[in-house]
């Protein structure tokens, strides 16, 4: 009674296939359309035992028959807390993401948004975890990243988590011809320390408009357009965001794609990093999409 779900890793659109429930011995065998999927293993109301933490296998190439072998479910322990703003009011509909601090992989935690009082309660395995708390869309609050440890047999309550008020940075991502570029992802790195800060709702919308809340500081603002757009990433260094900033149009330049596959003895290598360096200075050029996937493939762009 474990339910398997299959999602496109890029669009998150689910593909529906039959016979996707495990049998009494835990076995499953599902026929899927050949593609790369995020495969989610979700408990059902009739799953025996537990409670279990759901499992997500990311970017699995299901292009030929594949035996995943044992898929291990970990026992879940309740992790709870309360999210509030600076005036001590509970924050409703804040999203809680739980990540492995070593790998960065995210746990599947259904129902992980705060209630009307700012309270959340989720199932998490024993261990050390990084929690990202993202305020709802349109909130003036800033996302927060904290560390916590979940222990068996005790009440794992983090207590109060206070989200700070932020300043806003906004603008529009466009091509050199002025056409809007949608779905550009923005990342914010503190210029002095090169530490990336968590941000919520940091993608440009269908019109290329972005509006992000951050704590006041000097940032290197990274713009990451989709590979299919044909555009290169851009970094605005030492951007002063100590008060609300309107950048206006941010022009992204066209860039050729660099793609390939990394193998070792004919076997795909996952997680290899491909970097670009200026041959004159040795300085690394900003890129993303430069870590190989489960097929050993990478795809990045930069200006010619």
């Amino acid at each position: 009674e474990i339910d398997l779900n299959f999602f496109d890793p890029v669009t998150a659109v689910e593909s529906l296939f039959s016979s996707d429930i495990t049998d009494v011995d835990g076995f499953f065998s599902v026929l899927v359309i050949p593609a790369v999927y995020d495969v989610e293993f979700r408990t059902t109301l009739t799953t025996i035992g537990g409670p279990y933490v759901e499992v997500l296998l990311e970017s699995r190439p299901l292009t030929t028959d594949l035996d995943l072998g044992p898929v291990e479910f970990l026992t879940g322990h309740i992790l709870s807390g309360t999210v509030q703003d600076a005036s001590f009011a509970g924050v409703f509909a804040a999203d809680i993401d739980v990540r492995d601090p070593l790998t960065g992989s995210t746990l599947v935690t259904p129902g992980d948004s705060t209630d009307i009082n700012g309270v959340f309660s989720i199932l998490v395995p024993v261990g050390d975890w990084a929690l990202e708390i993202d305020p709802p869309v349109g909130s003036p609050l800033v996302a927060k990243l904290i560390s916590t440890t979940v222990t068996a047999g005790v009440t794992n309550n983090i207590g109060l988590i206070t989200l700070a008020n932020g300043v806003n940075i906004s603008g529009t991502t466009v091509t050199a011809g002025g056409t809007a570029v949608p779905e550009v992802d923005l990342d914010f790195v503190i210029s002095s320390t090169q530490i990336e800060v968590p941000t919520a709702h940091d993608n440009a919308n269908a019109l290329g408009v972005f509006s992000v809340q951050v704590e006041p500081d000097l940032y290197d603002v990274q713009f990451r357009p989709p590979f299919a757009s044909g555009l290169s990433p851009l970094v605005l260094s030492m951007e002063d965001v100590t008060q609300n900033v309107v950048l206006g149009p941010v022009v992204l330049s066209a860039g050729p794609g660099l793609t390939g596959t990394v193998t070792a003895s004919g076997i795909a290598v996952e997680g290899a990093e491909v970097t670009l360096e200026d041959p004159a200075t040795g300085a690394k050029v900003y890129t993303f999409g430069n870590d190989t996937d489960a097929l050993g493939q990478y795809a990045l762009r930069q200006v010619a």
Side-chain angles (χ1 to χ4, degrees), residues 1-301:
E1 298 297 332
I2 296 292
D3 180 27
L4 279 71
N5 300 303
F6 299 83
F7 300 91
D8 185 297
V10 177
T11 65
V13 173
E14 183 178 3
S15 295
L16 300 178
F17 304 112
S18 60
S19 303
D20 60 354
I21 301 287
T22 59
D23 66 15
V24 293
D25 295 313
F27 288 102
F28 59 91
S29 180
V30 187
L31 284 174
V32 302
I33 297 172
V36 176
Y37 295 98
D38 287 346
V39 186
E40 178 188 61
F41 294 79
R42 175 171 290 189
T43 58
T44 67
L45 293 176
T46 52
T47 300
I48 299 173
Y52 297 116
V53 178
E54 297 178 5
V55 174
L56 179 67
L57 303 180
E58 297 182 302
S59 299
R60 294 292 163 146
L62 305 184
T63 51
T64 60
D65 290 350
L66 178 64
D67 182 1
L68 288 174
V71 177
E72 181 182 4
F73 273 74
L74 297 175
T75 300
H77 303 273
I78 293 177
L79 175 65
S80 60
T82 302
V83 181
Q84 64 179 15
D85 60 21
S87 63
F88 311 110
V91 178
F92 174 58
D95 180 58
I96 314 296
D97 286 333
V98 183
R99 294 194 177 91
D100 186 318
L102 298 179
T103 66
S105 59
T106 303
L107 291 181
V108 182
T109 50
D112 58 4
S113 293
T114 56
D115 65 15
I116 192 67
N117 297 312
V119 176
F120 66 89
S121 180
I122 55 179
L123 287 175
V124 181
V126 167
D128 298 323
W129 303 99
L131 265 64
E132 181 177 320
I133 300 93
D134 292 339
V137 176
S139 169
L141 302 173
V142 179
K144 190 169 188 175
L145 189 66
I146 63 174
S147 298
T148 190
T149 299
V150 173
T151 306
V154 301
T155 301
N156 297 282
N157 188 293
I158 298 176
L160 296 175
I161 303 168
T162 304
L163 301 185
N165 286 308
V167 292
N168 182 263
I169 178 169
S170 61
T172 308
T173 48
V174 298
T175 66
T179 303
V181 182
E183 300 303 323
V184 176
D185 178 42
L186 277 70
D187 287 337
F188 291 79
V189 176
I190 298 174
S191 300
S192 59
T193 64
Q194 289 302 292
I195 295 175
E196 183 178 345
V197 300
T199 50
H201 321 300
D202 55 6
N203 281 21
N205 66 16
L207 300 177
V209 176
F210 60 88
S211 179
V212 186
Q213 296 292 128
V214 294
E215 294 197 46
D217 215 322
L218 294 178
Y219 290 99
D220 294 347
V221 186
Q222 302 169 347
F223 294 83
R224 299 155 52 118
F227 183 84
S229 70
L231 301 171
S232 298
L234 173 70
V235 179
L236 299 182
S237 300
M238 298 291 290
E239 196 68 39
D240 187 349
V241 195
T242 51
Q243 57 185 350
N244 291 343
V245 174
V246 179
L247 291 176
V250 177
V251 178
L252 301 176
S253 301
L258 176 63
T259 64
T261 304
V262 179
T263 62
S265 301
I267 300 174
V269 178
E270 182 178 5
E273 181 184 13
V274 180
T275 61
L276 298 181
E277 296 182 2
D278 185 321
T281 65
K284 286 188 177 181
V285 180
Y286 175 68
T287 55
F288 71 97
N290 53 320
D291 290 335
T292 56
D293 61 17
L295 297 176
Q297 298 175 343
Y298 62 90
L300 57 90
R301 290 190 186 274

